Amino acid sequence: MNSQPLCPNYSITRTSCRIALLTVLLFSLLLSSSATETQDPTEYAGAIEKVEAMVTEAFASDPLGSVTMGIVAGDHLVWSKSWGYSDVENKVKATPDSVYRIGSISKQFTGLMLLQLEEQGRVQFDDKVVQYFPPLRKVKDPFSAADSITLLQLATMTSGLAREPDNLPLFLIGPVSEWEKVVISAMPKTSFHHNPSDNQFLYSNIGYAILGASLEGAVDTPFTEYVTDHIFEPLGMKHTAFEPNSQIEQLIAKGYVRKTKLLSKGRQLDGRTPEEQHLGRGYKVPNGAMYTTIADLAKFLSFELGYGPETVLSKSKMENHFNRVRSESGEVISPYGIGFYVLPREDYIAYGHGGGVAGYTAAAYFDRESGFGVIGFRNVQGGPINIKEVCLRSLDILVESGR
């Protein structure tokens, strides 16, 4: 498989009785559901056992904080498990109901907002950004390109805008309620890295913030309100939000930043910075503010796999959404779609995104052909466990089990 090490001393083990138990549980789940039919769970119970063994060993190599994982098959979350503590100091164990920050996975929801508005005829992909967000004209613009970049260029990271504004720390402060003001204030410190006419991919956090502000301008509705009403609620994502609220506050896993040097009393984890950032991350809302659970994000992955309600987005629009990154022969022609990475694996193509903010790392990837998806969260930033690679290796195992 084409992947990087998950952690030192990687290996896989099996236990036949646990496979049998998983088979029974998964089969019972399928029979009890009235949703669209998915794969026979007996075909991938062994693969889930391999994934569990792999993650168990990975966490044992660096047992700080917690890891929570989930596996999606079609329209079901078929397995989830947590390792370690959501609150290290108070020895509170993490569970699949624990809430984590997911960083840049938030961009997929901003991308979906664009798809919805385009399908409704409220915007067009080739609409100029300045039509909805005139402050873009204040960026440092040696190419005289500000008036020409489009919504689609922002969404596919081909606008030429730099990754972040200069003096970044100044724009990482402020509550969610004021994120648009922070974006506007960042424009004079934002620049073009290259000419948009080059049509080159360059990951841009500030670009996605501008996209969110532009879409907000197009609908004249606050961005967070629109996404909550038109994406979270229709998908049943009841424990997902852009900032702590009464629904999720008591379930939020405490975030930790791993330090290379020990802190006072021999501590290796610092929870201060992640705690402060619960108050807001400045302009990083459409590009990285979301909190969610395994079960909620599983609903979004099922939607991306083609099992979601067409009231959110039509199936034809969803198909076009993923087809635009591949040629007619199936070859990948773009590394980034509208809010998602395109990652060629050995025998399939993985779609999805990773995310990281102070104290948290997350990843969610899926294969539309096999119908499998994998979600991983961790409440520790830094260390040998690469949650993106854990998820991709898990997806490799699942996809292979279906062949």
Short mmCIF file of all heavy atoms in Angstrom, two decimals, residues 145-177:
data_model
loop_
_atom_site.label_atom_id
_atom_site.label_comp_id
_atom_site.label_asym_id
_atom_site.label_seq_id
_atom_site.Cartn_x
_atom_site.Cartn_y
_atom_site.Cartn_z
N ALA A 145 -5.13 41.08 -10.55
CA ALA A 145 -6.00 39.91 -10.75
C ALA A 145 -7.20 39.87 -9.84
O ALA A 145 -8.08 39.02 -10.01
CB ALA A 145 -5.18 38.63 -10.56
N ALA A 146 -7.28 40.75 -8.85
CA ALA A 146 -8.34 40.65 -7.84
C ALA A 146 -9.73 40.67 -8.45
O ALA A 146 -10.63 39.96 -7.99
CB ALA A 146 -8.20 41.77 -6.81
N ASP A 147 -9.92 41.47 -9.49
CA ASP A 147 -11.24 41.58 -10.10
C ASP A 147 -11.61 40.37 -10.96
O ASP A 147 -12.77 40.24 -11.36
CB ASP A 147 -11.33 42.85 -10.96
CG ASP A 147 -11.57 44.09 -10.13
OD1 ASP A 147 -11.69 43.96 -8.90
OD2 ASP A 147 -11.64 45.19 -10.71
N SER A 148 -10.65 39.51 -11.22
CA SER A 148 -10.91 38.42 -12.16
C SER A 148 -11.11 37.06 -11.52
O SER A 148 -11.67 36.16 -12.15
CB SER A 148 -9.76 38.31 -13.17
OG SER A 148 -8.55 37.91 -12.53
N ILE A 149 -10.67 36.86 -10.27
CA ILE A 149 -10.78 35.51 -9.71
C ILE A 149 -12.24 35.16 -9.41
O ILE A 149 -13.05 36.02 -9.07
CB ILE A 149 -9.89 35.30 -8.47
CG1 ILE A 149 -10.33 36.16 -7.30
CG2 ILE A 149 -8.45 35.56 -8.80
CD1 ILE A 149 -9.61 35.81 -6.01
N THR A 150 -12.53 33.87 -9.53
CA THR A 150 -13.91 33.39 -9.44
C THR A 150 -14.14 32.58 -8.17
O THR A 150 -13.20 32.15 -7.49
CB THR A 150 -14.25 32.51 -10.65
OG1 THR A 150 -13.44 31.31 -10.58
CG2 THR A 150 -13.98 33.23 -11.96
N LEU A 151 -15.41 32.32 -7.89
CA LEU A 151 -15.76 31.47 -6.76
C LEU A 151 -15.16 30.08 -6.91
O LEU A 151 -14.67 29.50 -5.94
CB LEU A 151 -17.29 31.37 -6.64
CG LEU A 151 -18.05 32.66 -6.33
CD1 LEU A 151 -19.56 32.40 -6.35
CD2 LEU A 151 -17.62 33.26 -4.99
N LEU A 152 -15.19 29.54 -8.12
CA LEU A 152 -14.65 28.20 -8.34
C LEU A 152 -13.15 28.17 -8.10
O LEU A 152 -12.63 27.19 -7.55
CB LEU A 152 -14.97 27.73 -9.76
CG LEU A 152 -14.54 26.28 -10.08
CD1 LEU A 152 -15.26 25.30 -9.16
CD2 LEU A 152 -14.81 25.96 -11.54
N GLN A 153 -12.44 29.21 -8.48
CA GLN A 153 -11.00 29.24 -8.23
C GLN A 153 -10.70 29.23 -6.73
O GLN A 153 -9.77 28.57 -6.28
CB GLN A 153 -10.38 30.46 -8.90
CG GLN A 153 -10.26 30.33 -10.42
CD GLN A 153 -9.68 31.58 -11.06
OE1 GLN A 153 -10.20 32.69 -10.89
NE2 GLN A 153 -8.60 31.41 -11.79
N LEU A 154 -11.48 29.96 -5.95
CA LEU A 154 -11.30 29.90 -4.50
C LEU A 154 -11.57 28.50 -3.98
O LEU A 154 -10.83 27.97 -3.16
CB LEU A 154 -12.24 30.89 -3.80
CG LEU A 154 -11.93 32.38 -3.91
CD1 LEU A 154 -12.98 33.18 -3.17
CD2 LEU A 154 -10.53 32.71 -3.38
N ALA A 155 -12.65 27.89 -4.47
CA ALA A 155 -13.07 26.58 -3.96
C ALA A 155 -12.11 25.47 -4.31
O ALA A 155 -11.98 24.50 -3.55
CB ALA A 155 -14.47 26.25 -4.49
N THR A 156 -11.42 25.59 -5.44
CA THR A 156 -10.50 24.55 -5.89
C THR A 156 -9.04 24.91 -5.62
O THR A 156 -8.14 24.23 -6.11
CB THR A 156 -10.68 24.26 -7.39
OG1 THR A 156 -10.51 25.48 -8.13
CG2 THR A 156 -12.07 23.69 -7.66
N MET A 157 -8.80 25.96 -4.87
CA MET A 157 -7.45 26.40 -4.48
C MET A 157 -6.59 26.74 -5.69
O MET A 157 -5.39 26.47 -5.72
CB MET A 157 -6.75 25.30 -3.65
CG MET A 157 -7.51 24.83 -2.45
SD MET A 157 -7.31 25.95 -1.05
CE MET A 157 -7.94 24.93 0.29
N THR A 158 -7.19 27.35 -6.71
CA THR A 158 -6.43 27.76 -7.89
C THR A 158 -6.51 29.28 -8.10
O THR A 158 -6.29 29.76 -9.21
CB THR A 158 -6.95 27.04 -9.15
OG1 THR A 158 -8.36 27.29 -9.30
CG2 THR A 158 -6.71 25.55 -9.07
N SER A 159 -6.78 30.03 -7.04
CA SER A 159 -6.94 31.48 -7.15
C SER A 159 -5.61 32.21 -7.19
O SER A 159 -5.57 33.39 -7.54
CB SER A 159 -7.76 32.01 -5.98
OG SER A 159 -7.02 31.90 -4.77
N GLY A 160 -4.53 31.54 -6.79
CA GLY A 160 -3.23 32.19 -6.71
C GLY A 160 -2.97 32.89 -5.39
O GLY A 160 -1.87 33.40 -5.16
N LEU A 161 -3.97 32.93 -4.50
CA LEU A 161 -3.78 33.59 -3.20
C LEU A 161 -2.84 32.79 -2.32
O LEU A 161 -2.81 31.55 -2.34
CB LEU A 161 -5.12 33.75 -2.49
CG LEU A 161 -6.07 34.81 -3.07
CD1 LEU A 161 -7.44 34.69 -2.44
CD2 LEU A 161 -5.50 36.22 -2.88
N ALA A 162 -2.04 33.50 -1.52
CA ALA A 162 -1.12 32.86 -0.59
C ALA A 162 -1.89 32.04 0.45
O ALA A 162 -3.10 32.22 0.63
CB ALA A 162 -0.27 33.92 0.10
N ARG A 163 -1.17 31.18 1.14
CA ARG A 163 -1.81 30.30 2.12
C ARG A 163 -2.43 31.09 3.26
O ARG A 163 -3.55 30.83 3.67
CB ARG A 163 -0.79 29.30 2.68
CG ARG A 163 -1.38 28.29 3.66
CD ARG A 163 -0.31 27.40 4.24
NE ARG A 163 -0.89 26.44 5.17
CZ ARG A 163 -1.12 25.16 4.90
NH1 ARG A 163 -0.82 24.68 3.70
NH2 ARG A 163 -1.65 24.35 5.80
N GLU A 164 -1.71 32.07 3.79
CA GLU A 164 -2.16 32.85 4.94
C GLU A 164 -1.82 34.33 4.72
O GLU A 164 -0.93 34.66 3.93
CB GLU A 164 -1.44 32.39 6.23
CG GLU A 164 -1.52 30.91 6.53
CD GLU A 164 -2.84 30.48 7.14
OE1 GLU A 164 -3.78 31.30 7.16
OE2 GLU A 164 -2.93 29.33 7.59
N PRO A 165 -2.47 35.23 5.42
CA PRO A 165 -2.06 36.64 5.39
C PRO A 165 -0.74 36.81 6.15
O PRO A 165 -0.38 35.97 6.99
CB PRO A 165 -3.20 37.36 6.10
CG PRO A 165 -3.81 36.33 6.99
CD PRO A 165 -3.65 35.01 6.28
N ASP A 166 -0.02 37.87 5.86
CA ASP A 166 1.16 38.22 6.65
C ASP A 166 0.72 38.57 8.07
O ASP A 166 -0.44 38.91 8.31
CB ASP A 166 1.89 39.41 6.03
CG ASP A 166 2.43 39.11 4.64
OD1 ASP A 166 2.68 37.92 4.34
OD2 ASP A 166 2.59 40.06 3.85
N ASN A 167 1.67 38.48 9.01
CA ASN A 167 1.37 38.78 10.42
C ASN A 167 0.19 37.94 10.91
O ASN A 167 -0.73 38.44 11.58
CB ASN A 167 1.07 40.27 10.62
CG ASN A 167 2.22 41.16 10.20
OD1 ASN A 167 3.39 40.77 10.33
ND2 ASN A 167 1.92 42.34 9.70
N LEU A 168 0.24 36.66 10.57
CA LEU A 168 -0.89 35.75 10.82
C LEU A 168 -1.44 35.81 12.25
O LEU A 168 -2.67 35.83 12.42
CB LEU A 168 -0.49 34.32 10.48
CG LEU A 168 -1.53 33.23 10.72
CD1 LEU A 168 -2.79 33.49 9.91
CD2 LEU A 168 -0.95 31.86 10.42
N PRO A 169 -0.62 35.82 13.30
CA PRO A 169 -1.18 35.80 14.67
C PRO A 169 -2.19 36.91 14.94
O PRO A 169 -3.10 36.74 15.76
CB PRO A 169 0.06 35.93 15.56
CG PRO A 169 1.16 35.34 14.75
CD PRO A 169 0.86 35.75 13.33
N LEU A 170 -2.04 38.05 14.24
CA LEU A 170 -2.98 39.14 14.44
C LEU A 170 -4.40 38.78 14.03
O LEU A 170 -5.36 39.36 14.54
CB LEU A 170 -2.53 40.38 13.64
CG LEU A 170 -1.22 41.04 14.04
CD1 LEU A 170 -0.90 42.18 13.08
CD2 LEU A 170 -1.29 41.55 15.48
N PHE A 171 -4.51 37.81 13.12
CA PHE A 171 -5.82 37.48 12.55
C PHE A 171 -6.37 36.15 13.06
O PHE A 171 -7.34 35.64 12.52
CB PHE A 171 -5.71 37.48 11.03
CG PHE A 171 -5.13 38.76 10.48
CD1 PHE A 171 -3.86 38.78 9.91
CD2 PHE A 171 -5.82 39.95 10.59
CE1 PHE A 171 -3.31 39.96 9.44
CE2 PHE A 171 -5.28 41.14 10.13
CZ PHE A 171 -4.02 41.15 9.55
N LEU A 172 -5.72 35.62 14.10
CA LEU A 172 -6.18 34.37 14.71
C LEU A 172 -6.86 34.63 16.05
O LEU A 172 -7.03 33.71 16.85
CB LEU A 172 -5.01 33.41 14.90
CG LEU A 172 -4.32 32.94 13.62
CD1 LEU A 172 -3.18 31.97 13.95
CD2 LEU A 172 -5.31 32.29 12.66
N ILE A 173 -7.25 35.86 16.27
CA ILE A 173 -7.87 36.26 17.53
C ILE A 173 -9.25 36.84 17.23
O ILE A 173 -9.41 37.62 16.29
CB ILE A 173 -7.02 37.32 18.25
CG1 ILE A 173 -5.62 36.77 18.55
CG2 ILE A 173 -7.69 37.77 19.55
CD1 ILE A 173 -4.65 37.82 19.03
N GLY A 174 -10.22 36.44 18.02
CA GLY A 174 -11.56 37.00 17.87
C GLY A 174 -12.62 35.92 17.86
O GLY A 174 -12.38 34.80 17.39
N PRO A 175 -13.81 36.21 18.35
CA PRO A 175 -14.89 35.22 18.43
C PRO A 175 -15.47 34.91 17.06
O PRO A 175 -15.30 35.67 16.10
CB PRO A 175 -15.92 35.92 19.32
CG PRO A 175 -15.71 37.38 19.08
CD PRO A 175 -14.23 37.53 18.90
N VAL A 176 -16.19 33.81 16.99
CA VAL A 176 -16.83 33.40 15.75
C VAL A 176 -17.76 34.49 15.23
O VAL A 176 -17.86 34.71 14.02
CB VAL A 176 -17.60 32.08 15.96
CG1 VAL A 176 -18.49 31.77 14.77
CG2 VAL A 176 -16.62 30.94 16.21
N SER A 177 -18.42 35.20 16.12
CA SER A 177 -19.38 36.23 15.71
C SER A 177 -18.74 37.38 14.94
O SER A 177 -19.43 38.15 14.26
CB SER A 177 -20.11 36.79 16.94
OG SER A 177 -19.18 37.40 17.83
#
